[in-house]
Structure formats: structure tokens, C-alpha cells
């Protein structure tokens, strides 16, 4: 067992089994204390390597992650503390592996319930190799203003209220981690604070004992007095009694053994810790308190009087000139995490992306404000969903049905068109489905499926300017532009495209107006006088009919219609439809 100080302001640790919150609390404590280097040198997460991003004050730092204890120890030879957050099942094996590393001097085992036989082996190995085990079932320890283990001392607010950001004059040791927080606060109220505090852990066989740490504190010049909190069960306190009787301790010890209420119960009482179970008269709190008192420790009459006994002892040392109370300092403020600040209402942060079509913040996802359950319960189809997500409104059923017909008619057109050909070749090359699909979609353009928007754009412009079919077609010819939506390699006046006929029939039967489609038909009549294959194709039919849908529904302004055509939504219909065939 080490005989002096375990930690310093340069101590670094390896953290086993990544836990974001306790690591961040250690780094926040480092910043609070004015450390120049983070106390966590590396993280060990079996099976993974890389880095973890955390904060050191306002600076974001990357802490290395190692897959094994051996690799971490080799990479960080100055890290001599091993903080073990493994479960009770694997804590013993990983702790032993750490103890066998020549660079590791202190191992803190957080898990409780580690098998006692395994714990005894760890203790024996540590003692024979002059190493220290804190725990099992410990919250760890802290050297004020220098270094802390994991969650020791709790939140930053508690650390500040307990003045743990700078060293005091009191050495403290306890079995209980929870009661450590209570005593840190008590000691800070009536003294200049602690210099070092250790929770040895509540299991039956702790890796280090109360007396181990009191004897160590006795050798640290900055520690002027010791405070000890024991509990009923076990005989650890008696080793402290013997050390006091033998004169090994020459600094005042204020002690209390909790659990005096156990005598009020008729049956044997088991308190919170595995070791807090009285196994006879000598293990009772009363017997241990009396033995400590007889050995020369300052032992109050009750826990309520504990604070007064600590204060009285400290004040006497100060009056005798043995303690020069530490001057108070103002610690730097710890930057608050953005998520925490937002939740507490302290700040507001703009979002990076705003969606006006979908929302998942409520009880269920919504499309354009309509809950998902309503969409299903009301029997909405794919066309209705497209109208909500693309046009941000629920279109009449004849409109959404038209969208669905377009998708069905355009879903596939055989394996020889460029998009299907590219998809097939990519798949045969062994690529995955998404890569194959994208390969096909990237061929969509003016000569394969990309003419819907252009057809709508040119037909709309010509109709709105009252151009005759002759003026429109001849004007396009002078510009050297083919009329989008007109012409087919196979179909002709004698062999009409059945898809175009179906779309025209549906529109005439259901649309309130088909003025753009009729204009497209007039254009077709003129182009057929030039060549038999210059028929209105499916792109032209969809483009012109979609203009009728937008204008005839009465749900879109002229500006919105122009924007929809300009964005490329109509080609989006082809992309959506043809994806079905390309995937097939």
C-alpha cells in the first residue's frame, strides 16, 4: 500500500468502459481546478478504437479510444490511475489486467457485488506489488484542486459548494460514497475544506481499508487532521484503533461509525452495503465508536454532533497555529452544454434545417400537419401523400388519383431504355441496389423521362401568350429547339400510345378544365402534318395535364404554379415512378 499522496494536479487516468457523463465530469473538474492537461488520457472500450469528442472547458478535445488495456497502457505511459466502470461480472478480470501493467499504480473499481474470492486475489496482488485498489463498490476519490475519479462529489454545483476546486487541510475517508458527498459539504462548512477524500467502498472486502488511508494521510504534510466515517459490520475500524494505540498516527482523528440505530431492531439488520451487516457485538456501531474513543479519536455522541466535533477540532488547530486556513479563490465558470441550456430555457438556438412538410415532434409524425394515423384511417393513397409532401396541401381525390395513374403508367418501359440499361449493367457488375438505382436515375434528362417539366413549361408559355400551334412550333424550330412532349420512336398517328389515351380520357371525365391538354392536342395536330411520328407522347400528356390539375383545382396561385414547374416537381413524378421499375 502506498504511504503518501496518490494523486496530483498532473495525474492522468485510463477510463475503462466508455461512460460519457462521468468522463465529462472529470474534465469539467479539471477545468475548474485550472489543470493544464485533461485528467483522462485514454478510454478503453474493448473491441473498438478511434476517438471520443468531449469538452475541456470551451475547447472540444478528442480522447483516444483503445481496444485493450495493454494497448492503452503502452500508448499512455504517464497514466497511472485505472478507473474501472466494468460490470461486476468482468470487473475483477479487467482490474487484474490493469494491476499487471507496470505503469498503473491505483485501480478504482466502481462495480459492486464483485465476487469476494476475486476481490481477495486483487487485494493480495496489489499489496504484494505496492499498488492501491479503491473499491469495489466505490464512487472513487478526489484530491481537491487536483484530480477526481469519475462521479466522485457529484455535480459541478456540489463541487463548488464543497470548495473542492482548491485544497483544504482535512483528509477524509469513508466506506460510503453517498455519505462522502454529505461529509464533503459538512467539512467545507466548518473547516477550510478537504485535501483528499476517499470512499473505500461498501463491499465486505474493500481493496484498501480506512486505516490504510488514515496512515497515508498522516504522512502528507498538507493534511492537518483526519475525518473518518465508518459503519456497522466488519472489523475494519479496529485496525484504525490499533494504529492509534500504537502511536502511528500523530494528527487528530475525528470519527463516527454509523448504524447505532441497529440496536432498536429486534432482528438482525442489513443496511445498504454488503459489508454493513453486524455479525456480533464487536461489529456493532456502538462497540466500534467506543473503541475509537478509547484509542484517542474524537468521537461525538451522535451523528448530529459530528459536525460540531469536526469544527471544534479544526478551530483548536487553527488557534494553536498548526493550520493556516486556505485563502478562498474564485473558480472559473464551467461552460454549460447547449442541450442542457436549451432545456433549462437559458438560451435559444436556431435549427440548422427547417422542414415545412413533415414534423415528428408530437405524439406521432405528421405530413403537412395531418397525423400519420389520420392518413391511414382515412384511406389516403400514395397520391394523397405526394400532394401533402410535395404541394403541402390535401388535393381533391381526382387530383391524387391522377398522380397515382401517372406513377403506374410510368413505372417501367422495358429493359432497353437508357435508365433501365444502366441499372442492369451496374447490377451485373455486382453493385448494391442503391448504386444500381442511382446509376439509372442519373440518365434521366431531355431524352429519357426529363421532358415533362419542359413540356409543361413550353406549353404553358405558348398558351398563356395566345400563340397558335403554328406560331409555337415554328418559333421553336427557328430557335433550334425540339418541342418537348412531341414525338416518339415507335408510336405514330396510326399506332397511338395507350398511356396517353388513358390519361386524356381520365382528365376529360374528371378535371374541371383541360385547356392546356387541348392546346397540346392542337399542337399535335399541326406536328402530325409534318411527320406521322410527331405525336403527343406521355411526357407531353402528363406535362399539359398537370398544368390543368394545378390551374383547374383552384388551390394554387399563378406564382405557385410557375414555381412548381420551375422546381422540377413534374420530372419528380417520373423519377418516383421509374424507380419502381428500375428496382424491379
Amino acid at each position: 500500500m502506498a504511504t503518501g499522496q496518490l494523486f496530483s494536479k498532473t495525474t492522468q487516468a485510463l477510463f475503462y468502459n466508455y461512460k460519457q457523463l462521468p468522463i465529462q465530469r472529470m474534465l469539467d473538474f479539471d477545468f475548474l481546478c485550472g489543470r493544464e492537461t485533461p485528467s483522462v488520457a485514454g478510454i478503453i472500450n474493448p473491441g473498438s478504437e478511434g476517438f471520443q469528442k468531449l469538452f475541456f472547458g470551451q475547447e472540444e478535445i478528442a480522447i483516444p479510444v483503445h481496444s485493450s488495456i495493454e494497448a492503452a497502457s503502452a500508448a499512455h505511459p504517464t497514466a497511472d490511475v485505472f478507473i474501472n466502470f466494468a460490470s461486476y461480472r468482468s470487473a475483477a478480470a479487467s482490474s487484474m489486467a490493469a494491476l499487471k501493467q507496470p505503469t498503473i499504480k491505483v485501480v478504482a473499481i466502481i462495480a459492486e457485488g464483485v465476487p469476494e474470492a476475486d476481490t481477495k486475489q486483487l487485494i493480495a496482488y496489489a499489496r504484494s506489488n505496492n499498488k492501491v485498489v479503491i473499491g469495489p463498490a466505490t464512487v472513487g476519490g478526489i484530491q481537491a484542486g487536483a484530480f477526481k475519479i469519475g462521479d466522485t462529489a457529484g455535480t459541478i454545483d456540489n463541487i463548488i459548494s464543497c470548495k473542492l476546486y482548491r485544497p483544504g487541510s482535512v483528509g477524509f475517508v469513508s466506506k460510503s460514497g453517498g455519505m462522502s458527498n454529505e461529509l464533503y459539504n459538512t467539512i467545507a462548512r466548518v473547516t477550510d475544506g478537504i485535501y483528499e477524500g476517499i470512499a473505500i467502498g461498501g463491499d465486505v472486502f474493500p481493496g484498501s481499508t480506512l486505516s490504510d488511508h488514515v496512515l497515508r494521510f498522516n504522512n502528507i504534510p498538507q493534511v492537518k487532521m483526519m475525518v473518518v466515517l465508518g459503519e456497522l459490520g466488519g472489523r475494519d475500524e479496529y485496525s484504525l484503533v490499533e494504529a492509534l494505540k500504537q502511536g502511528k498516527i500523530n494528527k487528530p482523528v475525528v470519527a463516527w461509525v454509523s448504524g447505532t440505530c441497529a440496536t432498536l431492531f429486534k432482528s438482525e439488520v442489513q443496511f445498504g452495503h454488503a459489508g454493513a451487516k453486524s455479525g456480533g457485538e464487536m461489529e456493532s456501531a456502538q462497540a466500534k465508536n467506543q473503541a475509537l474513543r478509547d484509542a484517542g479519536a474524537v468521537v461525538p455522541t451522535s451523528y448530529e454532533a459530528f459536525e460540531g466535533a469536526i469544527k471544534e477540532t479544526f478551530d483548536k488547530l487553527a488557534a494553536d497555529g498548526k493550520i493556516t486556513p486556505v485563502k478562498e479563490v474564485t473558480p472559473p465558470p464551467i461552460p454549460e452544454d447547449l442541450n442542457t441550456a436549451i432545456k433549462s430555457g437559458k438560451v435559444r438556438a436556431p435549427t440548422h434545417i427547417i422542414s415545412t412538410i413533415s414534423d415528428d415532434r408530437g405524439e406521432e409524425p405528421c405530413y403537412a400537419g395531418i397525423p400519420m394515423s389520420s392518413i391511414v384511417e382515412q384511406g389516403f393513397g400514395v397520391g394523397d401523400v405526394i400532394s401533402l409532401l410535395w404541394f403541402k396541401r390535401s388535393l381533391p381525390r381526382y387530383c391524387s388519383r391522377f398522380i397515382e395513374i401517372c406513377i403506374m403508367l410510368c413505372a417501367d418501359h422495358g429493359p432497353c431504355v437508357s435508365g433501365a440499361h444502366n441499372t442492369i449493367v451496374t447490377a451485373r457488375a455486382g453493385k448494391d441496389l442503391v448504386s444500381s438505382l442511382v446509376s439509372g436515375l442519373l440518365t434521366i434528362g431531355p431524352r429519357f423521362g426529363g421532358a415533362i417539366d419542359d413540356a409543361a413549361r413550353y406549353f404553358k408559355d405558348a398558351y398563356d401568350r395566345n400563340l397558335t400551334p403554328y406560331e409555337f412550333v415554328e418559333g421553336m424550330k427557328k430557335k433550334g429547339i425540339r418541342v418537348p412532349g412531341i414525338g416518339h420512336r415507335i408510336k405514330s398517328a396510326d399506332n397511338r400510345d395507350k398511356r396517353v389515351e388513358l390519361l386524356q380520357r381520365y382528365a376529360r371525365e374528371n378535371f374541371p378544365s383541360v385547356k392546356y391538354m387541348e392546346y397540346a392536342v392542337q399542337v399535335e395536330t399541326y406536328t402530325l402534318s409534318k411527320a406521322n411520328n410527331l405525336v403527343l407522347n406521355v411526357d407531353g400528356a402528363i406535362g399539359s395535364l398537370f398544368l390543368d390539375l394545378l390551374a383547374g383545382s383552384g388551390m394554387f396561385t399563378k406564382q405557385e404554379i410557375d414555381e412548381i414547374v420551375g422546381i422540377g416537381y413534374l420530372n419528380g413524378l417520373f423519377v418516383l415512378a421509374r424507380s419502381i421499375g428500375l428496382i424491379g
Side-chain angles (χ1 to χ4, degrees):
M1 177 74 190
T3 56
Q5 197 161 295
L6 295 181
F7 315 119
S8 72
K9 211 164 186 173
T10 59
T11 295
Q12 286 194 300
L14 298 177
F15 198 103
Y16 187 87
N17 199 10
Y18 177 67
K19 305 285 182 185
Q20 190 268 339
L21 185 57
I23 296 178
Q24 188 58 65
R25 283 181 169 174
M26 288 178 67
L27 298 176
D28 287 345
F29 179 75
D30 297 343
F31 181 75
L32 197 70
C33 299
R35 282 184 57 127
E36 294 182 1
T37 54
S39 60
V40 181
I43 298 166
I44 303 162
N45 220 20
S48 65
E49 293 184 351
F51 293 89
Q52 280 291 345
K53 292 195 301 181
L54 293 133
F55 283 100
F56 187 61
Q58 284 188 314
E59 180 187 357
E60 196 169 30
I61 61 173
I63 297 181
V65 178
H66 305 277
S67 61
S68 70
I69 295 170
E70 293 76 13
S73 298
H76 308 286
T78 58
D80 60 1
V81 177
F82 183 84
I83 301 172
N84 195 344
F85 265 78
S87 71
Y88 71 91
R89 297 178 185 87
S90 59
S94 50
S95 295
M96 182 61 80
L99 286 170
K100 289 182 177 179
Q101 303 306 309
T103 54
I104 299 298
K105 301 292 190 294
V106 179
V107 172
I109 307 171
I110 310 303
E112 67 176 305
V114 177
E116 293 174 4
D118 293 339
T119 304
K120 288 180 178 179
Q121 288 183 353
L122 291 172
I123 294 170
Y125 186 89
R127 290 189 179 275
S128 63
N129 289 275
N130 196 33
K131 299 191 177 188
V132 178
V133 173
I134 302 172
T138 181
V139 74
I142 184 169
Q143 184 173 321
F147 175 83
K148 89 179 186 85
I149 293 171
D151 288 319
T152 301
T155 65
I156 287 295
D157 289 342
N158 189 63
I159 287 170
I160 292 173
S161 68
C162 297
K163 304 175 185 175
L164 295 170
Y165 48 83
R166 89 299 185 268
S169 305
V170 180
F172 170 73
V173 61
S174 164
K175 282 189 176 180
S176 169
M179 286 302 294
S180 293
N181 279 353
E182 184 72 28
L183 264 294
Y184 292 152
N185 195 282
T186 299
I187 292 169
R189 282 199 304 269
V190 297
T191 75
D192 63 356
I194 72 155
Y195 183 81
E196 186 183 323
I198 297 290
I200 65 170
D203 276 4
V204 177
F205 296 103
S208 52
T209 66
L210 298 173
S211 58
D212 287 336
H213 293 287
V214 171
L215 288 167
R216 190 168 56 78
F217 293 156
N218 195 63
N219 293 328
I220 300 174
Q222 297 93 326
V223 174
K224 306 300 182 183
M225 62 176 283
M226 282 81 86
V227 174
V228 179
L229 180 65
E231 63 186 18
L232 85 164
R235 303 199 176 191
D236 184 18
E237 290 81 359
Y238 287 106
S239 61
L240 179 56
V241 169
E242 288 304 310
L244 286 164
K245 285 181 177 179
Q246 293 170 16
K248 294 180 179 179
I249 301 167
N250 53 27
K251 296 176 183 178
V253 176
V254 183
W256 176 253
V257 179
S258 61
T260 53
C261 65
T263 56
L264 301 175
F265 297 89
K266 293 181 181 179
S267 60
E268 189 178 72
V269 179
Q270 169 72 59
F271 284 78
H273 297 147
K277 181 179 180 182
S278 182
E281 179 59 31
M282 281 192 70
E283 295 187 12
S284 69
Q286 284 85 346
K288 291 197 279 190
N289 276 325
Q290 188 59 51
L292 285 165
R293 190 179 292 116
D294 292 342
V298 177
V299 181
T301 55
S302 66
Y303 180 80
E304 287 73 17
F306 199 20
E307 181 175 333
I310 296 169
K311 182 180 188 312
E312 185 179 338
T313 303
F314 179 83
D315 290 346
K316 186 175 186 307
L317 289 169
D320 293 343
K322 295 181 178 179
I323 288 181
T324 302
V326 176
K327 290 182 179 179
E328 195 50 73
V329 296
T330 302
I334 299 293
E336 193 167 7
D337 287 344
L338 181 60
N339 289 338
T340 305
I342 291 173
K343 286 180 181 178
S344 65
K346 292 180 180 178
V347 298
R348 57 190 180 194
T351 56
H352 298 294
I353 297 173
I354 296 175
S355 171
T356 59
I357 62 172
S358 59
D359 193 345
D360 60 358
R361 293 173 296 177
E363 293 183 2
E364 59 176 309
C366 293
Y367 288 167
I370 299 180
M372 195 69 70
S373 57
S374 298
I375 291 172
V376 175
E377 290 164 0
Q378 294 177 30
F380 280 23
V382 172
D384 298 295
V385 171
I386 291 173
S387 73
L388 291 172
L389 294 180
W390 288 15
F391 307 115
K392 296 188 276 191
R393 66 206 72 186
S394 188
L395 295 176
R397 183 57 189 158
Y398 77 84
C399 295
S400 59
R401 176 60 182 157
F402 174 75
I403 292 172
E404 290 170 0
I405 292 171
C406 290
I407 292 173
M408 289 188 286
L409 295 180
C410 295
D412 200 25
H413 192 43
C416 294
V417 292
S418 57
H421 181 269
N422 274 13
T423 302
I424 291 167
V425 170
T426 308
R428 289 293 300 273
K431 299 289 284 185
D432 58 279
L433 183 144
V434 174
S435 299
S436 303
L437 171 62
V438 170
S439 175
L441 293 178
L442 288 174
T443 64
I444 292 176
R447 298 186 182 182
F448 169 57
I452 300 176
D453 278 308
D454 284 341
R457 196 173 295 120
Y458 283 109
F459 282 140
K460 184 177 186 299
D461 177 71
Y463 179 88
D464 292 350
R465 290 196 294 131
N466 294 315
L467 297 180
T468 64
Y470 168 81
E471 291 171 328
F472 172 48
V473 175
E474 295 304 321
M476 294 285 284
K477 183 179 179 182
K478 286 181 181 180
K479 295 176 185 176
I481 302 173
R482 294 181 179 181
V483 179
I486 294 290
H488 203 284
R489 290 189 176 184
I490 300 173
K491 301 301 178 183
S492 64
D494 305 317
N495 179 26
R496 296 279 183 172
D497 191 331
K498 191 70 175 176
R499 295 176 299 172
V500 174
E501 293 179 346
L502 288 168
L503 289 169
Q504 290 176 329
R505 185 190 313 153
Y506 179 85
R508 288 192 176 102
E509 292 173 357
N510 295 279
F511 282 26
S513 169
V514 288
K515 60 183 183 181
Y516 286 106
M517 185 199 76
E518 295 296 0
Y519 181 74
V521 170
Q522 293 171 25
V523 171
E524 178 193 47
T525 301
Y526 178 74
T527 56
L528 283 174
S529 67
K530 292 178 171 290
N532 201 39
N533 69 327
L534 294 180
V535 294
L536 182 69
N537 59 36
V538 70
D539 289 343
I542 293 175
S544 59
L545 283 171
F546 226 102
L547 289 173
D548 287 322
L549 181 153
L550 296 171
S553 67
M555 300 183 72
F556 299 90
T557 66
K558 181 181 182 303
Q559 182 181 350
E560 286 177 321
I561 295 172
D562 290 340
E563 186 180 33
I564 288 168
V565 173
I567 285 172
Y569 269 5
L570 310 190
N571 276 344
L573 267 181
F574 186 84
V575 171
L576 180 62
R578 195 49 60 97
S579 293
I580 299 170
L582 298 182
I583 290 171

